């Protein structure tokens, strides 16, 4: 090995070590919600303030994200990153770090989106994976009463990965239900019905029935060829 190639190899090792160190430090900082709002714009600050007010009991949870803060146990407090880092796999961890770098560049360039009530996500896969990880038991409750959850591809994957099926909450499971879930090819995900940072609909579990839920139901029925094709206005 020549001195030149040795120097190049050493430089690569040093750069990799520095990169891992920066990634580890960034991951540590992301555990604190105050870091998340430190360089973000009005939307993130508003979300943080909603959550803090809901936790303090000064006002009811205004959105689904704030509700998560009030439902969390004291020994396992809820944080922004719990939704924004996916399901803890290496791929999701890398995606989260890349997304954080993108957000930093957007902020530095003064191009952050000031929209408060966002209905779209830049990396929906991370959010959907986080929903599925934390709410797996909800996905695995069998029965038609929960078909809008247990017919999702995420539910089937959770069951195939070893998740235990749970009987319907108000009755015993039928033989077919107890045997397992079927895979349905639909593009509907958790985010199709649930929006974390949109205010309103508190009495409806933060579900926007006409604008989100029913269109998602119709799309799933059309894609899978099952169920009524039109629900709105019927």
């Amino acid at each position: 090995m020549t001195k030149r190639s040795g120097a190049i190899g050493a430089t690569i090792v040093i750069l990799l070590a520095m990169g891992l160190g920066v990634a580890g430090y960034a991951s540590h900082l992301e555990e604190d919600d105050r870091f998340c709002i430190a360089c973000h714009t009005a939307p993130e600050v508003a979300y943080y303030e909603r959550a803090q007010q809901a936790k303090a009991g000064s006002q009811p949870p205004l959105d689904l994200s704030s509700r998560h803060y009030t439902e969390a146990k004291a020994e396992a407090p809820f944080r922004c990153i719990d939704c924004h880092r996916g399901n803890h796999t290496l791929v999701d961890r890398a995606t989260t770090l890349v997304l954080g770098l993108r957000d930093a560049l957007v902020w530095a360039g003064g191009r952050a989106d000031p929209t408060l009530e966002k209905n779209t996500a830049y990396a929906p896969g991370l959010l959907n994976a986080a929903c599925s990880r934390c709410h797996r038991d909800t996905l695995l409750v069998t029965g038609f009463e929960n078909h809008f959850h247990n017919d999702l591809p995420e539910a089937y994957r959770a069951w195939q990965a070893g998740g235990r099926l749970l009987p319907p909450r108000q009755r015993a499971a039928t033989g077919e239900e107890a045997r397992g879930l079927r895979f349905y090819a639909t593009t509907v995900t958790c985010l199709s019905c649930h929006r974390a940072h949109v205010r309103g609909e508190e009495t409806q579990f933060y579900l926007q029935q006409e604008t989100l839920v029913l269109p998602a139901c119709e799309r799933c029925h059309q894609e899978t060829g099952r169920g009524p094709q039109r629900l709105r206005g019927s």
Side-chain angles (χ1 to χ4, degrees), residues 51 60 65 84 100 104 117 154-155 188 190 195 200 217:
S65 173
H84 289 276
E117 308 294 343
E154 285 295 329
V188 172
C190 303
R195 294 288 191 270
C217 292

Side-chain angles (χ1 to χ4, degrees), residues 33-184:
D33 285 358
R34 291 170 297 182
F35 170 74
C36 296
I37 67 169
C39 64
H40 280 301
T41 53
E44 286 73 21
V45 174
Y47 306 153
Y48 176 80
E49 291 176 347
R50 288 179 190 174
Q52 297 309 306
Q53 291 167 357
K55 285 173 61 178
S58 58
Q59 67 178 23
L62 296 178
D63 58 22
L64 185 59
S65 173
S66 301
R67 182 60 179 265
H68 279 67
Y69 280 84
T70 63
E71 296 288 331
K73 297 179 180 179
E75 62 272 19
F78 187 78
R79 301 154 303 178
C80 301
I81 195 62
D82 291 327
C83 284
H84 289 276
R85 66 176 164 201
N87 59 9
H88 298 296
T89 63
L90 287 176
V91 172
D92 279 2
R93 180 70 268 176
T95 303
T96 302
L97 291 172
V98 171
L99 181 61
L101 175 60
R102 171 199 172 271
D103 289 344
L105 294 174
V106 168
W107 173 79
R111 294 181 287 110
D113 181 4
T115 305
L116 194 60
E117 308 294 343
K118 291 183 173 66
N119 266 310
T120 58
Y122 184 78
L126 286 177
L127 303 176
N128 192 60
C131 291
S132 301
R133 173 176 55 83
C134 286
H135 298 287
R136 187 174 72 162
D137 285 352
T138 298
L139 294 174
L140 294 178
V141 173
T142 59
F144 178 78
E145 302 91 330
N146 192 47
H147 77 282
F148 40 82
H149 287 136
N150 60 43
D151 280 352
L152 293 175
E154 285 295 329
Y156 181 82
R157 284 191 281 268
W159 174 58
Q160 288 289 294
R164 183 172 63 89
L165 294 179
L166 301 172
R169 292 187 171 90
Q170 302 298 326
R171 60 177 177 81
T174 66
E176 182 179 357
E177 291 168 348
R179 280 193 290 273
L181 303 179
R182 293 178 59 186
F183 178 79
Y184 295 104

